[in-house]
Each structure stands twice: as C-alpha cells, then as structure tokens.
Amino acid sequence: MRLPAEPVDVEPAGGVQIAHAQRDDVQLLFHADHSAARPGPGLEQNGHYRERPATGLEHVVRCRWEQRVGDTPHVQRVLPDNCADILVTADGRALLVGPPTHVELPRLPAGTLIRGLRFHPYAVRTALHTDVAELTDQSVDLDDVLGAATARTVAEQIWAGSDVELAHTWGNAEPDRATAGIVRMLTAPGAPSVDAVADRAGYSSRHLRRVVHAETGLSPKTLQRVARLHDFLRAAEAGISSAAAAAGYADQPHASREIRALTGLAPGQLLRERGLT
C-alpha cells in the first residue's frame, strides 16, 4: 500500500520516505509525548511534531499528529501516555500500537515522516473491536485488526488528514460511558484512590480493575502513575518541588522514584532534556 506524499495543512513533504527505518523504532514514535512540553534538544532544529484535533471524533480520538525528522537522525525519548495509536508512514505501512508502560528511546532516521491518530484510553476496544488488553506494549499490522480493505481506507484517511472521512468511520462509535467516566476520574489531577473511585462507581475494587484493564489494557494504578507524570510536566515551570506537589506525589523522593521508573531520568534531568528549566 502506498499513500499520497502530499501532506495536508503542513509544509510539503518533499517525497520523504522511511523505507530504511527500523520497524521497532518507527512504531515507538506513536507515544512520543509532546503534549506537556516543548520538543527535546535537536527536535525543533531538526524536525517538528504537530498535534491537531480530530473534528467530529473528540469522543474517541485525542488528536491526530505528524512527526517529521530533518536531515539528521533524531533520538526520541518516548514516554508512556495511556493511549493507543494508529501510525501511518510515507511508504504506506499502517500499524496499531497499544499503550506502552515504559520508556523507549527509538532512533528515527533522517527524513522520517509519520502521521498518526491517537485514541483516548477508553475508546480503543469500541473503535477497533479488538482486545486492547493484548495490545499493551505491543504493535500489530493494522491489516490484522481491521482487514486489508478497511485498513487501507483508514490509513489513507489518516495520511490525508481527512476528519470528515474519519468521522464516517468512527463517528458513531460509542465508548462505554461508565468506563470513560471512571478513566477520567482516575486520571484527573488530584485523583482519588482506586478504591475511592470504585466506591463512587458502585463497583467493587476487583471489578473496577477488571473493567479498566479490559477497556484500556492498563491497570488503574498504571493509568494514575502515567497521568501523574504528565501532570508533573505540565506544572514544571513552577520548579521540581512545586510541580511534584501539584501532581500529587507524596514527597520529592516519591516523585524521583516514580519519574525515573517511567522515564529513565531523574526529574531534573527530564526537565532539562525537554527544555523546561
């Protein structure tokens, strides 16, 4: 499958191909976290990342995005974000990548061009009719999930940035409202404990864990840990101690342990790498 080379609403692609990219490196770019911070060193000078809303799909899709690497390779620190993505490359490859639970450091070759669609954590099973619990830290060809014909159509829609066509595909998808509410509650700033969320939802803690894992591929605790990390990044301009407190870490040692476990860096190192200090 080969897709048109012309991007929509961005600079010309110039016929960029990524045929020589390593599959594992390319697929990891799905979850490169840019929502809470500026690009890391070298990215602004050597490429760009952009997110845009997917109009008409806000109930299912968090955003559509494009990553372009300039004329030198780029190493991207990919942080967990609780989401699953469909990724489409300039040579027509389309992959579904499940939610990651750990940091990765893919090396993206010069000239890489990727466009993607990022799903809300609670929408993947409904939108794609797949067992998201089997996708955690995994990637599969989109053909294997949707079938070759539908996968090609979806890949072309993502590549073209066609919100209208994507809305025809998923506009009627209806994620379970109860589960969506539970996930939002678990990942909101200052979220209550898992047991407290279960109590509010009228579930036992065990049943809540089963439901959340089935819909998101992640445990409630993992959802909360990852959300807390991104809350920390969004509050980073206040300084490490203030950002840690705002994100809900018990203290600075707690923040250091959790952030290093999820990102591979101490808080200060992470903020410096992302240009936030």
Side-chain angles (χ1 to χ4, degrees):
M1 176 169 64
R2 184 169 181 81
L3 302 174
E6 296 80 7
V8 173
D9 203 23
V10 295
E11 301 90 2
V16 173
Q17 299 289 316
I18 62 164
H20 301 297
Q22 293 295 316
R23 175 187 172 120
D24 288 345
D25 282 352
V26 171
Q27 70 195 30
L28 289 170
L29 185 60
F30 267 120
H31 300 286
D33 166 47
H34 303 274
S35 60
R38 296 187 294 275
L43 185 55
E44 289 177 329
Q45 296 79 15
N46 188 41
H48 73 245
Y49 172 90
R50 294 182 179 180
E51 290 184 0
R52 292 181 178 83
T55 304
L57 289 170
E58 295 86 350
H59 62 300
V60 176
V61 172
R62 177 172 289 181
C63 67
R64 56 184 180 92
W65 55 266
E66 176 178 289
Q67 174 78 62
R68 186 194 304 272
V69 177
D71 56 6
T72 58
H74 173 69
V75 176
Q76 178 72 49
R77 186 173 300 274
V78 181
L79 306 184
D81 66 356
N82 288 333
C83 295
D85 293 63
I86 295 175
L87 171 155
V88 182
T89 65
D91 62 358
R93 177 181 296 162
L95 298 173
L96 172 61
V97 176
T101 61
H102 55 272
V103 67
E104 299 284 358
L105 293 168
R107 180 181 181 274
L108 302 177
T112 296
L113 175 61
I114 306 176
R115 294 185 185 135
L117 196 71
R118 179 163 298 138
F119 291 91
H120 291 301
Y122 48 79
V124 180
R125 188 177 69 83
T126 299
L128 300 176
H129 306 288
T130 191
D131 186 353
V132 66
E134 295 184 357
L135 289 174
T136 305
D137 292 317
Q138 303 295 321
S139 70
V140 296
D141 288 329
L142 194 60
D143 289 9
D144 295 337
V145 179
L146 299 181
T150 301
R152 177 182 176 83
T153 297
V154 168
E156 290 173 344
Q157 291 169 348
I158 292 172
W159 190 258
S162 174
D163 290 346
V164 172
E165 294 300 323
L166 286 168
H168 287 163
T169 302
W170 285 307
N172 293 325
E174 296 185 4
D176 181 75
R177 291 185 179 182
T179 304
I182 288 168
V183 171
R184 292 190 187 106
M185 200 183 311
L186 286 167
T187 57
S193 68
V194 173
D195 289 345
V197 172
D199 187 61
R200 293 185 190 183
Y203 292 166
S204 68
S205 295
R206 178 176 294 181
H207 182 62
L208 179 107
R209 290 180 176 87
R210 285 198 300 266
V211 167
V212 168
H213 187 260
E215 294 289 337
T216 70
L218 301 168
S219 71
K221 278 294 186 184
T222 297
L223 286 169
Q224 290 192 320
R225 291 178 69 215
V226 170
R228 192 178 297 125
L229 166 65
H230 293 282
D231 289 342
F232 170 80
L233 290 172
R234 279 186 284 270
E237 291 184 359
I240 292 176
S241 296
S242 296
Y249 292 107
D251 50 33
Q252 198 161 331
H254 178 217
S256 295
R257 289 193 303 273
E258 284 286 290
I259 291 168
R260 185 182 290 277
L262 288 170
T263 72
L265 294 175
Q269 292 173 315
L270 179 64
L271 297 186
R272 285 191 295 273
E273 181 182 86
R274 301 176 73 78
L276 290 172
T277 58

